[in-house]
Amino acid sequence: MKTIKLNDGHLMPVIGFGTWQTPDGKVAYESVKNALDAGYTHIDTAFVYGNEKSVGKAIKDSKVARSDIFLTTKLWNTHHSYELAKEAIATSLKNLDTDYLDLYLIHWPNPVNMRDSWEKGNAEAWRAMEEAKEAGLIRSIGISNFHPHHIDALLKTAVVRPAVNQVYASPSDPQTEIKDYNSKFNIVTQAYSPLGTGTILDNDVLKDIAQRNNKTVAQVAIRWSIQKGYVPLPKSVTKSRIYENIDVFDFELSDNDMALIDTLRGIGKEGLDPDNLDF
């Protein structure tokens, strides 16, 4: 698996396997096992997904060594304080049955219950994450769904710069401004829902590009993401699609195809505004 170097020196695989909306139990367990069998070594989950235990069991039961897996989980909105973040890290480590996390992210920057104190909450949680990194419990720390003003606020007090910002990004909403801002600080942009939660798969332009490249629309969208410099996290619970989504390293989209895809803004679902959510 190809990797990208983070700003803290750690290596992260250039494609990951997402588990958002993957039910705990047999579905999550089997999908992660299938992903590891297919060649994914980068697994992304979150406390709020409710499937950490199944993800951890699948990793334990797989033929892939833990040291060869890049495992990510996230701090939920109810734990934006120093003490609560420490508790959350310990809980996720226990759920995942692992001694360390490769990446831990603040899931959202502005929880609805902290609209007047979100900057302080992020700073306190970040301090707990920095201490966990120093203690070897977490290798890299980062953020998710942060816009430039959230990043600026965090950097006022952060000792360790975020290594990653995971955002919703697909041809329908490339999040160019956020990605460019991340790049200013050498922050890698991960793209969750790189297929637009499926809302871009019927687009005629993408279908034509896929046909010309002898690939599927999903493979084209994932390849576009990689060539744009994102680290995509496609998600599926279907074995054939899990294998399909990682089969993107034997072709390259032309400059013309990339430019065509860049014109598709708004063809499907777009990202949410983290400052105006009800959770």
Side-chain angles (χ1 to χ4, degrees):
M1 175 60 65
K2 297 180 180 180
T3 59
I4 186 171
K5 182 177 283 190
L6 302 178
N7 60 23
D8 59 9
H10 291 297
L11 298 178
M12 179 172 68
V14 298
I15 187 171
F17 182 71
T19 62
W20 178 49
Q21 294 184 328
T22 301
D24 193 35
K26 183 178 179 180
V27 175
Y29 176 82
E30 291 188 350
S31 64
V32 172
K33 280 289 298 294
N34 285 331
L36 292 167
D37 289 343
Y40 294 86
T41 55
H42 179 176
I43 307 296
D44 180 272
T45 186
F47 174 78
V48 76
Y49 299 171
N51 58 22
E52 285 181 326
K53 290 183 178 180
S54 296
V55 170
K57 182 169 173 29
I59 290 172
K60 282 278 189 182
D61 292 349
S62 77
K63 298 175 183 177
V64 184
R66 173 66 184 91
S67 59
D68 293 331
I69 295 173
F70 189 97
L71 177 60
T72 302
T73 193
K74 309 176 192 78
L75 177 79
W76 186 236
N77 295 351
T78 52
H79 288 71
H80 282 215
S81 75
Y82 174 73
E83 292 296 339
L84 290 175
K86 289 205 301 183
E87 292 177 12
I89 293 166
T91 297
S92 286
L93 285 167
K94 182 178 180 180
N95 286 344
L96 289 160
D97 193 14
T98 186
D99 295 330
Y100 69 95
L101 301 167
D102 294 277
L103 179 63
Y104 193 71
L105 309 176
I106 297 179
H107 205 151
W108 289 91
N110 191 356
V112 68
N113 63 331
M114 300 191 72
R115 285 286 144 83
D116 296 327
S117 58
W118 62 267
E119 185 171 344
K120 178 183 177 184
N122 289 338
E124 289 190 5
W126 193 255
R127 180 162 62 93
M129 291 162 64
E130 289 176 329
E131 289 183 4
K133 177 178 171 64
E134 181 68 23
L137 299 175
I138 302 170
R139 292 189 170 176
S140 299
I141 54 178
I143 51 183
S144 181
N145 298 296
F146 275 52
H147 286 202
H149 64 285
H150 304 123
I151 296 173
D152 287 342
L154 184 65
L155 292 179
K156 291 178 184 177
T157 57
V159 176
V160 177
R161 184 176 295 177
V164 165
N165 187 10
Q166 184 182 128
V167 299
Y168 177 97
S170 77
S172 181
D173 190 358
Q175 303 279 16
T176 303
E177 179 186 356
I178 297 174
K179 183 177 181 296
D180 289 346
Y181 205 76
N182 291 338
S183 296
K184 286 179 57 177
F185 301 100
N186 198 20
I187 298 171
V188 170
T189 305
Q190 288 184 332
Y192 70 81
S193 297
L195 308 181
T197 63
T199 60
I200 67 172
L201 298 181
D202 289 327
N203 180 264
D204 289 337
V205 173
L206 291 174
K207 285 181 178 179
D208 180 62
I209 293 172
Q211 185 176 23
R212 284 191 281 105
N213 285 275
N214 196 30
K215 288 290 181 176
T216 66
V217 170
Q219 289 168 328
V220 166
I222 293 165
R223 183 69 208 181
W224 169 87
S225 185
I226 291 172
Q227 289 182 217
K228 293 289 283 188
Y230 301 92
V231 173
L233 304 169
K235 170 257 178 180
S236 180
V237 297
T238 304
K239 184 175 181 178
S240 61
R241 289 176 182 161
I242 290 171
Y243 276 75
E244 172 189 316
N245 290 343
I246 200 174
D247 185 20
V248 294
F249 296 103
D250 61 348
F251 79 111
E252 187 168 315
L253 294 169
S254 69
D255 290 344
N256 285 340
D257 285 342
M258 291 293 290
L260 270 175
I261 297 172
D262 287 344
T263 69
L264 299 180
R265 175 69 190 263
I267 63 167
K269 183 179 176 181
E270 300 190 13
L272 301 173
D273 178 359
D275 292 321
N276 290 288
L277 298 177
D278 60 357
F279 55 84

